[in-house]
Amino acid sequence: MKHFFIDKYSEIKSPINDLNARAKVIIFFALILLCATTPPNAFLAFGGYYLILSGILLVSKVPLGFVLKRTVVAAPFVLMVTLFIPFMEGGGGSYNLWGLTLHRSGLIVLFNVSVKAFFGVAALTLLTSATPFNELMDGLKQMGVPKIFITTASFMYRYIFVVVNEAMRMKRARDSRNFEGKWIWQTRTIGHMIATLFLRSYERGERIYSAMLSRGYDGEVKSLGKHPIVFKDVVFITLIISLAALLRFSHALTKLISGS
Amino acid sequence: MHHNKAVEIKNLHYKYPDGTMALDDINITIEHGESVALLGPNGAGKSTLILHLNGILRGNGEIKVFGLPVNKHTLKEIRRRVGLVFQDPDDQLFCPTVFEDVAFGPINMGLTKEEISTRVNKALASVELEGFGKRSAYHLSFGQKKRVAIATVLSMEPDMLVLDEPTSNLDPRGRGKIIKILNSLPVTKVVVTHNLNEAAKLCKKAIIMDKGRIVADEDIEKVLSNRPMLEAHGLISS
């Protein structure tokens, strides 16, 4: 069974993929931060952020559909929280829609939360798609992310589909023995399967640990990754962040200029 | 300091945590450069025994590897000199990329970056997988995974290879390839297997285990011609 890894497009040759992982982490987190702190009614700025992101997407050659598909995964979570806000009493006037009353302030909250949430998820999706996973981990490690997180994420990346495959094989074996009927009657079987999967993963963990010890593991996963930040990384960071910062603070800037 | 003996084990006993006797008075000697097949039915204690060869398990008894007694001061040196290849390559290959897996041992040995790259490329070449460094182990075929698993210890340039069923679950072509690769490596070898044909192709000597004991330890031809003994220990079926 073949599965797609989150960084399956990271092998594409593109200027974005060639960037240092740390540079990309800095750029994307700065973008998310700037976007998240933008006032809710700065519609132009939001348009600008999405344009920047689209620009990066275009240059990175990661297919748009791939990023969109992964971004909509966040939709239920965002909408569940925000969808009802426009119906609540708030200031700023209201609109009538097929007999329902929508409040302007609530609509702005809905817009604000959704636009920022989707931007964040899309930015992170693009970051992970356009960076080989091991480089991303090396980059985060160099930036001071605790080793335990890096190690956990690396093992998850390596083993998630091994476990998924194990579960699928178990499901097949179960279905081959005429497992049917409503799931509620089968909770016992499902419980056993989960327990078995847990035990197998636990045992695998022990075997992996032995294999690590056999090759001189002493409690710390070391890596060769010493990717220096070079000139083009600095150029990219400066370019993208100053562009986004301009959008973020344009309002304040125009005020400052016209005021003085 | 030169020792002729690669492995010397005297009166080794090992009990599982639940009290089952897994190894019962094991005495074996493996000479430098020798290749030995470790044969026996399922549950005979073969895997448990090989985990003692680099100190992953520590039973009661005396174990010397290349003249070094296995203890916490010698573990690092012993693990460098003994390359243990596990049966399931998914246990052996735990890094995001093949390169990192093969480099794992050399990095822990504290080698320089250039030396590590050289060793990784050399190890991948000797298992006929040049240029596979950037791939994820997950996307390799089973046979390729088995060969990468061998490369992960070859990169440490060990003096002894210990392989737990290196050809299990492989198709005949995959088996042939592994046998060819192993035969081209001029180091001491201990090969755990059920397959008598392959044992004969790879090894000069055979040790047969059953129920945690050594039941035969001699030339492989002698062992293989003793059909009643093979049958008694479940290695051939009538």
Side-chain angles (χ1 to χ4, degrees):
Chain A
M1 284 164 264
K2 289 279 175 200
H3 300 277
F4 290 124
F5 277 51
I6 57 168
D7 60 346
K8 74 165 170 161
Y9 291 110
S10 64
E11 292 292 300
I12 306 175
K13 272 270 158 226
S14 83
I16 301 293
N17 286 0
D18 286 345
L19 284 184
N20 185 296
R22 271 183 294 168
K24 278 183 272 190
V25 171
I26 292 169
I27 289 172
F28 282 98
F29 276 91
L31 281 177
I32 292 170
L33 198 71
L34 287 168
C35 177
T37 57
T38 304
N41 56 358
F43 304 113
L44 265 178
F46 288 118
Y49 297 143
Y50 275 91
L51 265 180
I52 295 178
L53 201 62
S54 316
I56 300 178
L57 178 81
L58 206 69
V59 179
S60 74
K61 297 184 197 158
V62 175
L64 175 67
F66 179 77
V67 175
L68 280 183
K69 225 164 57 194
R70 305 219 152 200
T71 306
V72 292
V73 170
F77 303 99
V78 177
L79 293 180
M80 204 166 62
V81 180
T82 55
L83 204 56
F84 300 103
I85 295 175
F87 301 106
M88 292 172 195
E89 205 67 55
S94 57
Y95 310 96
N96 247 323
L97 193 72
W98 304 306
L100 291 168
T101 315
L102 294 171
H103 296 276
R104 189 178 147 80
S105 61
L107 279 174
I108 292 220
V109 173
L110 170 63
F111 168 78
N112 184 41
V113 173
S114 326
V115 88
K116 287 176 179 175
F118 284 117
F119 185 83
V121 179
L124 287 182
T125 307
L126 189 53
L127 169 67
T128 48
S129 315
T131 315
F133 192 78
N134 57 323
E135 280 180 29
L136 187 63
M137 289 299 120
D138 279 347
L140 290 173
K141 201 191 286 175
Q142 279 179 290
M143 294 173 86
V145 173
K147 282 183 189 117
I148 182 78
F149 290 127
I150 305 285
T151 312
T152 310
S154 299
F155 276 101
M156 177 127 89
Y157 172 84
R158 171 66 183 87
Y159 285 102
I160 182 129
F161 292 122
V162 174
V163 176
V164 167
N165 281 351
E166 212 150 329
M168 282 165 97
R169 285 198 301 269
M170 267 161 68
K171 186 177 168 300
R172 275 186 192 164
R174 180 197 70 184
D175 293 345
S176 307
R177 284 172 288 174
N178 284 327
F179 174 92
E180 48 192 31
K182 283 217 175 76
W183 69 270
I184 193 79
W185 303 114
Q186 305 290 355
T187 41
R188 212 177 129 85
T189 315
I190 292 168
H192 286 319
M193 284 172 67
I194 293 171
T196 307
L197 206 58
F198 175 78
L199 281 178
R200 281 192 195 170
S201 303
Y202 180 81
E203 281 169 359
R204 185 183 290 283
E206 289 202 325
R207 292 196 305 270
I208 294 167
Y209 185 59
S210 297
M212 292 172 79
L213 287 179
S214 297
R215 273 140 71 201
Y217 178 69
D218 56 6
E220 189 194 330
V221 178
K222 306 180 184 92
S223 75
L224 276 183
K226 281 267 186 300
H227 314 282
I229 292 212
V230 294
F231 183 67
K232 71 172 177 196
D233 298 318
V234 179
V235 171
F236 246 102
I237 295 175
T238 323
L239 190 75
I240 307 261
I241 294 185
S242 43
L243 206 62
L246 206 65
L247 287 165
R248 166 71 183 82
F249 299 110
S250 57
H251 196 62
L253 279 178
T254 39
K255 235 189 210 165
L256 199 74
I257 293 163
S258 61
S260 60
Chain B
M1 202 167 59
H2 185 261
H3 291 272
N4 275 329
K5 307 272 186 280
V7 178
E8 275 181 285
I9 297 179
K10 281 181 194 151
N11 311 111
L12 177 65
H13 295 262
Y14 180 78
K15 263 187 196 162
Y16 283 132
D18 69 353
T20 321
M21 198 61 135
L23 296 179
D24 188 0
D25 196 23
I26 302 287
N27 292 282
I28 52 172
T29 307
I30 297 171
E31 304 287 336
H32 226 309
E34 208 169 32
S35 51
V36 180
L38 190 52
L39 305 165
N42 292 327
K46 308 180 297 286
S47 297
T48 309
L49 177 58
I50 62 169
L51 286 173
H52 281 81
L53 294 179
N54 71 349
I56 296 287
L57 294 179
R58 310 266 282 277
N60 292 317
E62 194 190 320
I63 305 180
K64 276 189 181 171
V65 179
F66 296 111
L68 298 166
V70 179
N71 59 44
K72 67 169 189 268
H73 305 290
T74 57
L75 266 189
K76 208 172 172 171
E77 171 72 3
I78 285 174
R79 286 179 182 165
R80 187 194 72 69
R81 298 187 70 177
V82 179
L84 194 57
V85 181
F86 288 71
Q87 186 181 349
D88 184 347
D90 274 331
D91 296 338
Q92 183 105 18
L93 310 174
F94 43 76
C95 298
T97 65
V98 166
F99 182 94
E100 288 169 282
D101 265 317
V102 182
F104 187 84
I107 289 176
N108 286 329
M109 287 160 65
L111 300 177
T112 65
K113 202 172 171 174
E114 292 71 35
E115 174 77 347
I116 291 169
S117 288
T118 316
R119 282 192 180 208
V120 170
N121 293 332
K122 203 173 137 199
L124 284 175
S126 55
V127 296
E128 298 172 23
L129 289 172
E130 290 107 327
F132 275 65
K134 279 200 153 183
R135 303 235 201 147
S136 158
Y138 180 80
H139 289 305
L140 301 181
S141 75
F142 192 76
Q144 289 168 337
K145 280 192 210 175
K146 281 272 203 188
R147 274 144 60 199
V148 174
I150 294 173
T152 62
V153 301
L154 289 184
S155 60
M156 299 175 78
E157 302 190 345
D159 298 317
M160 175 161 74
L161 275 179
V162 182
L163 305 118
D164 197 350
E165 305 204 23
T167 61
S168 62
N169 286 328
L170 283 177
D171 56 27
R173 191 198 305 154
R175 287 163 188 260
K177 215 162 208 169
I178 297 263
I179 289 172
K180 193 184 125 214
I181 288 165
L182 291 181
N183 275 334
S184 72
L185 300 168
V187 292
T188 311
K189 268 165 269 179
V190 177
V191 184
V192 172
T193 177
H194 299 288
N195 189 317
L196 301 178
N197 274 331
E198 281 173 18
K201 280 182 199 160
L202 283 166
C203 305
K204 295 263 184 302
K205 202 173 107 171
I207 294 173
I208 296 184
M209 287 183 76
D210 198 0
K211 298 186 183 108
R213 290 168 177 275
I214 303 281
V215 293
D217 179 356
E218 53 193 337
D219 274 1
I220 196 146
E221 280 99 30
K222 271 190 192 158
V223 170
L224 294 186
S225 57
N226 190 347
R227 292 189 66 87
M229 196 259 306
L230 291 176
E231 203 171 313
H233 299 293
L235 289 165
I236 51 174
S237 64
S238 46

